[in-house]
Amino acid sequence: MANKDNKQVKTDNRAKTLKFFSIWSVIILIAIVLLANILFDGLLGKALTFDFSMSGNNSISQESVDFINSLPDDSNIRIIGLLEKPENLANSPYQYIVPLLDDYQAKSGGRITVEYIDPEKYPSIINQLDPQGLNDLTAGNYVVAYNNNLKVISPYDCFAYDSSQTTSYSMVPTANNVEYTFTNAILQLSRGTTFKAYIVTGLREEGSVYLTSILESIGCSVQELPVSDNFTVPEDCDLLIVNGPNTDISETMYVAMENYLYNGGDMIVAVNYSADNVTEKFTNLNNVLHYVSLNIDDSVIRENNASYQLESSGFNSLATLNSQILSVNEDMQNFTQFKSSFARPVRDFGTPHSYIEVYPVISTSDNAMAVRTDENGQTTDYENEGTYNVAMYGTFDGMADPPEVMVFGTTNFTSDTYISNFGFNDSNIEFLRATIRMLLGTDDSDALQITSKPLDDYSIDQTKATGSAQTTVLIVFMIVIPLGLIIAAAVVYNRRKNL
Amino acid sequence: MIEINNLVKHYGDKKAVNGISFTVNDDEVLGFLGPNGAGKSTTMNIITGYLSSTSGTVKVNGHDILEEPELAKRDIGYLPELPPLYLDMTVLEYLNFICDVKGVKKSERKEHLAKVISMVKITDVADRLIGNLSKGYKQRVGIAQAIVGDPKILILDEPTVGLDPNQILEIRKLIKTLAKSHSVIISSHILSEIQAVADRVVIINKGKVAAIDTISDLSKRLSGSSKLLLSFKGPVKEVCSKIHSVPGVVNVSQRISDGDIHEIELTIDNNSASDVRASIFFAMAKSGWPILEFRSLDPSLEEIFLSITSKG
Amino acid sequence: MTAIFKREFLSYFRSPVGYVAIAIFSFLSGFLFYSQFSTGGVNLSSEINSLRNFFVIIIPIITMGLFAEDKKRGTEVLYYTTPVNLFSVVMGKFLAAVALFAVMFSNVFIHMIVTKACDGAVGVGVWGSVIVYFFMAFMFISIGILASAVTDSQIIAAIFCFIMILVIQLIDTISTYFGNAVTALLGNFGLNSEKAASVGSKLAEGLSWLDPFDKTQDFRFGVFSVSALMFCLSVAVVFLYLAFRVLEKKRWSQG
């Protein structure tokens, strides 16, 4: 380039400076950012990780606080964990238990002490707590000790599990009932039990773990009453429960139960229509119910009104509280709708005694139908469209201690499957509590409303996610909004194109 | 006022601008004349801060464009060769955006825009989409964009290129109006364009300044000699010698012949006392050779450079 | 900055691009929401996290034109010859794209309202997912802006951005393969296999440290990590700064 005319022109130093600054500022920024992130992540990453998910799960509600503070000041409630205090809580049920118990201790005003004693290191603790060996003091369990009584709580009792995903290997917890379990344990120990409830077993029923827990929280001591040839209802029975039987009761049992009702006994019967009992007519059980003029049909309700359907089939549907029951129990006005699935119609049998009073409690819409399934699983229409009752209540008028019977045509109020899926706060379950209190004649002034805390529970209220609501969601979110935007695009494009 | 000092721009080995220096005074229209590829646009891009220079400085009202770019740019309104228009906006939306960019105060905006719009005469297209406007209107919107914010200096790169004659006249008129209150640098590769509007002219060629002069001096320099084109019917040789003998004619050269129709080019010494054209006309008429066409030839830019450099 | 922001944001709505992008997003998010709603359980965290998979499509569409179009049309002259700061131009365009994202995201807020009305859970985890979604959007949009700043072709910008986002989404897999490749390579060079494996896994670990999805995975459960957010934000800052420097190059470049 040694041209006389174009002598080599030196690039402007200021441009060079700018280039230098520009390139180095980028390099330095990247270096600083990388270094800062690595340091920050390494040094403060843990400290600056905030676990907001636990805050709700790790503190007790005002309901529990008020209850504990209502106990005498000199109460000494011991909660003993039969293990070393766990340090690494992640991915174990203790992650929700240990911090919550600490909160109990902190908020109890000295009434509650929480201890951790590992029975493998201090074997004497078992004998100390339970000299007679009545309880299951396995390592890992908790013991609540109060008023010289014990209640053992296993960590696995403290959660509800998704039954649809329960396999022999894994349990998927859906709700955190730790507070519910511990507060109710303290309540029971403080109050003792006032009622005796018997649950009839041996009828190929599913089981009543959660129902038992609910009865206990209301102050019942619960005992199983197995089927036998010389079946009798014990004298001390305040409430007899037949929960989800798949076979009919025997003749003997029918006599025993009718005798129980004759003596003013109270009963809850819950039956559904499932693959296990399609052919079952429950003749003997119906004979018992006829005593208060109630009857369970051997068909299944199909809801035809889409705004009541929970699945398009109509066998899962919403059912409404029938206002007639409010004349018996005003408290039930807090309820409106319930989930009902595979329900048998419950009806007035028409037993001709003027003192019998029968009330529909929960009813379908006007467009329901009773349907039967034949042996091939084919459904046939059976009765005309109309309103069917999912639950009814029968009693005698003008008696000092009348028999009282609540009959549910569905097991959505009492079964383990339902309660574990929907938790203790579901309106069906609240209604079950109200029913038990009505039959036992207790008011709910001293009942505790401890709600379960959702974990990975994303279920929405089935009463609102009806078939028609689903269709609305589909149409609005997948058709109306996108289409509206496309139309807006076309309109804007056309208007501006010709400006 | 703009001071440009020894501006150099290299693209690799190619020297687009090679040591240009000149000054633009306040409230003057400076013509920037040069053939295509002479470095006009590059120089203007450097002045406005769009391109960097290899060396040399540009100072706008005392602010160096490299060191204080924002202060310098505040005083400049720029219309590049390709007007920076958003075709998807209406004229008004676009000018409002330009107001935002140039920081025109909200309170003064409405009045200011009304003034600008009426000045460049785009009132009737203010609500139309820029993409739908004709080339002339687009150019005016481009000029409007440059004068928004009342910069003291306007730099217009070939503002009339591609317009029809009517539009060109309109734009020229507009530039003259603007010149009353702005310094303007206007570039073109057409002499008459510059002559029509500029006070002073900078002529560049191959990246270098060929001349800086006022328009009147330039015309004088250019008027030293001029060329005429004569088309006629008749014998070529005789006509040539006849015309060569007319006083004031310096040179005669033949251009095209088509049968007995011929075209010749005459170089005239303008300092001659009599009007050479009249003499030629009478000479031809006398000999009975009909003149088919007789007009003066505009000098090409190359010839201007030649004449300037040969005399200067 | 506000001037640029205003123009770019409104320009999404002057052409069909903005509407169509929102319509596509609405349809996709609506589909995810409906498919959950119809089974009786709505997990908004997983809806939002699924929506992150569409970054790779949506972000190139909305960022490709931001600078490339200006260069092609010659309108970039405005940013260089008017008294605006180039960094505020970058920020204005960045914020415009973020704002379009926010408008799109309003769909999910409607889903939240519906979920809440049906007594579903809109817990702290959902808000965690929302925060992560936006911080990741910051990061990816800034990458798209850089892609748009280095070229004057929208298509090239879109492809560049697409590949960058894809690589980041697959960084976990890539790091595993990378680690294995290094191990194999070192093994071939005669390093003993144990050492080679440890070097390989260290490298894989280092590379996967860059994975923003891994860093932020606990937000959906309500576990908020400041350092993860800082990572996303600082990546965004780096790319925006790079874009700024690429544009500012004209001031000193001798090319």
Side-chain angles (χ1 to χ4, degrees):
Chain A
M1 293 298 294
N3 190 321
K4 175 182 147 231
D5 192 31
N6 300 333
K7 64 175 189 294
Q8 185 70 44
V9 178
K10 283 242 174 73
T11 305
D12 193 339
N13 274 330
R14 297 174 306 168
K16 275 187 181 161
T17 315
L18 279 175
K19 181 176 182 175
F20 181 83
F21 176 71
S22 182
I23 290 172
W24 276 100
S25 69
V26 168
I27 293 171
I28 290 171
L29 178 75
I30 291 175
I32 288 176
V33 160
L34 211 60
L35 205 68
N37 267 298
I38 292 173
L39 284 179
F40 200 80
D41 197 30
L43 298 179
L44 296 169
K46 280 255 151 48
L48 285 174
T49 300
F50 301 104
D51 187 354
F52 295 115
S53 67
M54 309 271 273
S55 59
N57 283 314
N58 292 350
S59 52
I60 59 174
S61 64
Q62 199 53 42
E63 188 93 15
S64 290
V65 174
D66 291 345
F67 161 67
I68 291 163
N69 286 329
S70 71
L71 297 173
D73 283 348
D74 57 351
S75 303
N76 179 20
I77 305 164
R78 291 175 76 197
I79 300 178
I80 303 133
L82 297 174
L83 68 164
E84 294 227 38
K85 189 166 183 176
E87 291 299 331
N88 186 13
L89 299 175
N91 296 322
S92 84
Y94 295 107
Q95 68 174 315
Y96 298 107
I97 300 174
V98 174
L100 189 82
L101 290 181
D102 290 345
D103 200 47
Y104 268 106
Q105 179 162 4
K107 289 179 182 163
S108 67
R111 295 178 183 85
I112 296 177
T113 52
V114 179
E115 306 151 64
Y116 287 88
I117 300 168
D118 186 352
E120 281 169 20
K121 284 188 185 160
Y122 308 98
S124 59
I125 184 70
I126 306 274
N127 219 1
Q128 227 178 76
L129 286 170
D130 187 15
Q132 283 115 32
L134 294 174
N135 293 294
D136 172 28
L137 298 187
T138 322
N141 284 353
Y142 280 89
V143 177
V144 183
Y146 182 43
N147 284 349
N148 299 320
N149 277 317
L150 289 188
K151 178 138 178 81
V152 177
I153 296 169
S154 151
Y156 295 96
D157 295 342
C158 298
F159 299 92
Y161 299 92
D162 181 350
S163 65
S164 64
Q165 290 186 42
T166 306
T167 64
S168 47
Y169 304 109
S170 73
M171 308 244 271
V172 180
T174 56
N176 168 0
N177 296 327
V178 179
E179 188 188 346
Y180 176 92
T181 312
F182 276 91
T183 303
N184 275 312
I186 297 167
L187 176 74
Q188 283 167 40
L189 294 175
S190 73
R191 240 187 353 209
T193 51
T194 31
F195 301 105
K196 192 92 189 173
Y198 286 90
I199 299 176
V200 180
T201 61
L203 298 169
R204 294 203 295 127
E205 74 284 338
E206 187 197 352
S208 304
V209 176
Y210 288 96
L211 179 60
T212 304
S213 152
I214 289 165
L215 286 165
E216 284 175 347
S217 75
I218 294 172
C220 294
S221 78
V222 183
Q223 214 166 318
E224 292 186 354
L225 194 57
V227 172
S228 68
D229 289 340
N230 47 1
F231 181 90
T232 49
V233 180
E235 281 281 308
D236 62 349
C237 178
D238 296 303
L239 182 60
L240 183 66
I241 296 169
V242 181
N243 182 16
N246 286 319
T247 42
D248 194 13
I249 57 173
S250 65
E251 192 88 31
T252 327
M253 291 168 80
Y254 150 50
V255 175
M257 287 183 189
E258 196 178 59
N259 187 44
Y260 167 70
L261 289 181
Y262 174 78
N263 289 321
D266 300 335
M267 250 182 111
I268 292 176
V269 176
V271 179
N272 72 349
Y273 192 83
S274 74
D276 293 329
N277 66 21
V278 272
T279 52
E280 185 56 69
K281 291 189 160 70
F282 293 110
T283 320
N284 286 330
L285 184 60
N286 270 325
N287 283 338
V288 179
L289 298 178
H290 292 165
Y291 188 71
V292 287
S293 189
L294 293 175
N295 185 75
I296 299 171
D297 288 344
D298 58 334
S299 56
V300 61
I301 294 173
R302 187 173 73 193
E303 179 60 74
N304 293 328
N305 186 333
S307 58
Y308 286 81
Q309 287 177 357
L310 294 176
E311 281 166 13
S312 44
S313 72
F315 293 116
N316 267 315
S317 63
L318 292 177
T320 322
L321 185 79
N322 195 308
S323 57
Q324 293 185 43
I325 191 64
L326 296 180
S327 60
V328 181
N329 186 337
E330 280 184 16
D331 289 343
M332 288 186 175
Q333 70 192 358
N334 299 327
F335 298 96
T336 49
Q337 281 190 311
F338 307 96
K339 290 177 279 285
S340 150
S341 43
F342 297 97
R344 290 178 183 247
V346 183
R347 61 183 166 85
D348 185 348
F349 184 66
T351 309
H353 290 297
S354 60
Y355 50 83
I356 300 179
E357 287 197 336
V358 175
Y359 300 90
V361 180
I362 297 172
S363 312
T364 65
S365 79
D366 298 338
N367 309 104
M369 217 174 236
V371 164
R372 260 189 194 149
T373 314
D374 65 19
E375 281 131 18
N376 304 323
Q378 298 290 317
T379 54
T380 48
D381 287 355
Y382 171 60
E383 268 178 43
N384 290 334
E385 218 173 59
T387 308
Y388 288 83
N389 291 321
V390 176
M392 287 187 86
Y393 170 74
T395 186
F396 289 174
D397 185 30
M399 266 178 81
D401 184 17
E404 291 181 84
V405 179
M406 181 68 88
V407 178
F408 294 104
T410 170
T411 52
N412 271 9
F413 291 81
T414 51
S415 75
D416 280 355
T417 309
Y418 184 87
I419 302 173
S420 77
N421 271 342
F422 291 95
F424 291 123
N425 314 332
D426 185 77
S427 75
N428 282 30
I429 308 311
E430 298 285 1
F431 184 77
L432 174 71
R433 283 205 190 88
T435 303
I436 295 168
R437 283 194 209 99
M438 180 177 93
L439 299 184
L440 293 176
T442 73
D443 58 19
D444 59 353
S445 60
D446 57 351
L448 290 179
Q449 296 284 335
I450 312 291
T451 56
S452 36
K453 298 164 183 176
L455 293 174
D456 263 346
D457 178 22
Y458 298 103
S459 58
I460 45 180
D461 187 349
Q462 297 293 310
T463 59
K464 285 166 181 156
T466 56
S468 47
Q470 285 170 19
T471 313
T472 313
V473 164
L474 174 73
I475 291 174
V476 170
F477 288 126
M478 288 182 67
I479 299 172
V480 174
I481 294 181
L483 211 63
L485 285 162
I486 297 287
I487 291 170
V491 167
V492 167
Y493 177 71
N494 258 311
R495 270 185 48 192
R496 290 190 68 88
K497 190 179 70 179
N498 298 321
L499 269 180
Chain B
M1 160 166 159
I2 301 180
E3 295 159 81
I4 292 148
N5 195 5
N6 204 18
L7 212 56
V8 176
K9 174 72 181 176
H10 291 186
Y11 287 111
D13 283 349
K14 193 175 164 279
K15 296 172 176 58
V17 175
N18 196 359
I20 287 181
S21 305
F22 62 89
T23 310
V24 187
N25 301 319
D26 289 340
D27 298 344
E28 119 176 300
V29 178
L30 182 85
F32 204 51
L33 185 65
N36 290 323
K40 297 190 300 282
S41 292
T42 307
T43 309
M44 289 185 142
N45 280 335
I46 294 171
I47 295 171
T48 53
Y50 179 52
L51 285 182
S52 63
S53 60
T54 306
S55 73
T57 55
V58 175
K59 277 190 178 167
V60 180
N61 287 334
H63 304 297
D64 191 290
I65 192 78
L66 202 63
E67 284 161 17
E68 302 170 292
E70 275 162 46
L71 282 174
K73 287 169 189 171
R74 193 151 296 172
D75 290 337
I76 296 180
Y78 182 36
L79 171 67
E81 223 173 335
L82 177 69
L85 304 176
Y86 285 107
L87 303 182
D88 61 339
M89 293 171 104
T90 68
V91 173
L92 216 53
E93 284 166 354
Y94 175 69
L95 292 178
N96 262 309
F97 164 62
I98 298 294
C99 285
D100 283 338
V101 169
K102 294 195 177 179
V104 177
K105 285 199 190 93
K106 276 249 154 40
S107 53
E108 299 163 8
R109 176 169 306 177
K110 216 171 168 183
E111 206 180 326
H112 181 62
L113 275 185
K115 205 180 86 189
V116 168
I117 284 172
S118 73
M119 194 185 266
V120 300
K121 301 208 173 98
I122 48 173
T123 317
D124 40 339
V125 296
D127 286 320
R128 291 189 55 197
L129 211 58
I130 295 178
N132 293 345
L133 297 182
S134 70
K135 197 153 176 20
Y137 271 121
K138 278 184 190 157
Q139 200 70 19
R140 285 192 219 186
V141 176
I143 294 173
Q145 165 270 129
I147 61 181
V148 159
D150 261 334
K152 295 190 191 98
I153 298 156
L154 292 177
I155 299 180
L156 311 174
D157 195 356
E158 305 254 15
T160 57
V161 77
L163 302 185
D164 65 40
N166 266 333
Q167 293 170 331
I168 291 175
L169 285 179
E170 291 267 350
I171 299 278
R172 277 186 196 166
K173 234 161 74 190
L174 176 61
I175 291 166
K176 277 183 186 155
T177 327
L178 291 171
K180 285 172 195 155
S181 50
H182 299 81
S183 303
V184 180
I185 304 182
I186 175 167
S187 79
S188 178
H189 59 278
I190 302 159
L191 177 65
S192 58
E193 181 79 40
I194 300 293
Q195 275 175 323
V197 293
D199 305 320
R200 239 160 32 105
V201 60
V202 172
I203 301 175
I204 67 166
N205 191 31
K206 291 182 181 149
K208 291 193 154 188
V209 175
I212 304 179
D213 221 333
T214 59
I215 285 291
S216 48
D217 282 354
L218 184 72
S219 342
K220 251 187 222 154
R221 280 213 235 175
L222 291 178
S223 62
S225 67
S226 61
K227 286 191 170 155
L228 294 174
L229 180 127
L230 179 67
S231 168
F232 60 90
K233 235 179 198 171
V236 186
K237 275 186 187 158
E238 288 163 57
V239 174
C240 282
S241 63
K242 181 108 189 174
I243 287 177
H244 208 286
S245 63
V246 173
V249 175
V250 178
N251 193 16
V252 178
S253 64
Q254 189 180 346
R255 281 177 55 142
I256 310 164
S257 300
D258 181 13
D260 56 348
I261 299 172
H262 306 281
E263 241 179 61
I264 56 171
E265 198 178 295
L266 317 175
T267 309
I268 313 285
D269 181 3
N270 284 352
N271 299 328
S272 154
S274 61
D275 189 341
V276 183
R277 286 174 295 183
S279 317
I280 291 172
F281 172 77
F282 289 122
M284 294 289 281
K286 221 188 233 166
S287 310
W289 297 320
I291 291 176
L292 302 178
E293 195 187 351
F294 194 25
R295 62 182 166 88
S296 66
L297 279 174
D298 273 335
S300 71
L301 275 174
E302 281 71 21
E303 287 165 323
I304 295 170
F305 297 130
L306 212 67
S307 76
I308 290 167
T309 42
S310 64
K311 289 191 180 179
Chain C
M1 188 162 80
T2 44
I4 311 289
F5 168 78
K6 223 169 81 185
R7 198 211 90 79
E8 292 298 337
F9 183 65
L10 290 178
S11 86
Y12 283 126
F13 298 97
R14 291 196 178 107
S15 65
V17 177
Y19 299 95
V20 172
I22 300 173
I24 292 171
F25 187 92
S26 304
F27 182 81
L28 292 172
S29 63
F31 171 74
L32 291 172
F33 182 68
Y34 169 74
S35 53
Q36 294 193 3
F37 190 84
S38 60
T39 60
V42 175
N43 183 346
L44 285 169
S45 296
S46 75
E47 180 193 327
I48 295 166
N49 287 351
S50 303
L51 283 171
R52 294 192 309 199
N53 297 332
F54 302 120
F55 276 152
V56 76
I57 309 284
I58 294 173
I59 292 198
I61 291 177
I62 67 174
T63 57
M64 63 182 182
L66 284 175
F67 283 105
E69 185 69 4
D70 273 336
K71 289 188 184 180
K72 199 170 194 173
R73 287 274 174 78
T75 38
E76 65 163 349
V77 174
L78 288 172
Y79 306 134
Y80 290 101
T81 62
T82 53
V84 284
N85 185 308
L86 271 178
F87 192 70
S88 66
V89 173
V90 174
M91 282 308 288
K93 298 208 174 207
F94 171 73
L95 291 178
V98 169
L100 183 69
F101 247 85
V103 173
M104 281 184 192
F105 203 76
S106 58
N107 274 294
V108 179
F109 289 118
I110 301 172
H111 298 168
M112 283 186 194
I113 294 168
V114 173
T115 309
K116 204 75 198 154
C118 291
D119 290 347
V122 182
V124 70
V126 174
W127 294 108
S129 300
V130 172
I131 291 171
V132 167
Y133 186 88
F134 273 94
F135 273 76
M136 287 215 166
F138 295 162
M139 198 170 77
F140 290 135
I141 289 171
S142 69
I143 290 172
I145 289 215
L146 176 67
S148 189
V150 294
T151 171
D152 58 1
S153 156
Q154 292 204 44
I155 302 294
I156 292 173
I159 291 171
F160 180 45
C161 177
F162 175 84
I163 291 172
M164 293 279 282
I165 296 176
L166 203 65
V167 165
I168 291 175
Q169 289 197 332
L170 297 176
I171 205 162
D172 197 38
T173 322
I174 292 171
S175 67
T176 314
Y177 283 122
F178 179 71
N180 292 344
V182 168
T183 306
L185 205 66
L186 290 178
N188 284 344
F189 283 132
L191 207 68
N192 80 50
S193 62
E194 212 167 281
K195 253 187 186 162
S198 88
V199 170
S201 70
K202 274 274 179 327
L203 280 172
E205 206 177 289
L207 199 60
S208 67
W209 177 81
L210 293 168
D211 185 2
F213 290 92
D214 180 56
K215 283 181 188 303
T216 55
Q217 63 180 357
D218 283 343
F219 276 72
R220 59 176 306 176
F221 302 119
V223 181
F224 290 56
S225 160
V226 174
S227 67
L229 295 184
M230 196 180 99
F231 177 80
C232 291
L233 204 60
S234 56
V235 169
V237 168
V238 165
F239 277 95
L240 290 177
Y241 190 74
L242 271 172
F244 160 63
R245 282 301 178 191
V246 164
L247 294 171
E248 203 240 10
K249 192 167 163 239
K250 260 197 145 70
R251 267 185 76 200
W252 50 262
S253 140
Q254 299 304 322

